[in-house]
Amino acid sequence: MVMENNRKQDRKVVHKIVQWTDGVRARKGEIQDVSDKGVFLSPSWTPTENIKPGDVIEILVDGPDGPVEIQAEVRWSGSSDSNHSEGIGLQSTDGKNLAELLEIEDDKASE
């Protein structure tokens, strides 16, 4: 399924490897774009269980002061034209500013 762009906020392209879990087992994936409240996650392999809108996953991001856990709700899954890959559209459920968190890490990595 190809998803059309219904985003309320612009996204910034990032390439951040993260760990995540759908409650079945820990996995790795790549966050390919980010806004203040959402990310597009390209999993490194297909989840064991079907992931569907409304499911909540946990993402572990290496932050400047150590690992940061993010809870996010699945908004959609499928093919993303803008990212040219299969993945999961996620929205933060814990109030963290995702763009700020990932930009801080990107800036620190470039120093």
Side-chain angles (χ1 to χ4, degrees), residues 22-36:
D22 58 0
V24 177
R25 72 172 126 155
R27 309 170 185 289
K28 286 190 178 183
E30 180 183 35
I31 293 178
Q32 295 183 345
D33 67 33
V34 62
S35 70
D36 289 349

Side-chain angles (χ1 to χ4, degrees), residues 1-3 40 51-53 74-79 86-89:
M1 166 195 297
V2 176
M3 298 303 298
F40 177 78
I51 291 182
K52 58 191 175 307
V74 175
R75 304 298 290 168
W76 61 272
S77 64
S79 179
E86 295 286 322
I88 307 165

Side-chain angles (χ1 to χ4, degrees), residues 3 6 11-12 18 22 26-27 33-34 39 42 50-51 55-56 58 61 68 72 74-75 77 84 90 101 104 106 109:
M3 298 303 298
N6 292 324
R11 298 266 175 125
K12 177 182 177 187
V18 297
D22 58 0
R27 309 170 185 289
D33 67 33
V34 62
V39 298
S42 178
N50 287 334
I51 291 182
D55 289 351
V56 175
E58 294 178 2
V61 177
V68 177
V74 175
R75 304 298 290 168
S77 64
H84 308 290
L90 301 163
L101 176 68
I104 288 170
D106 285 347

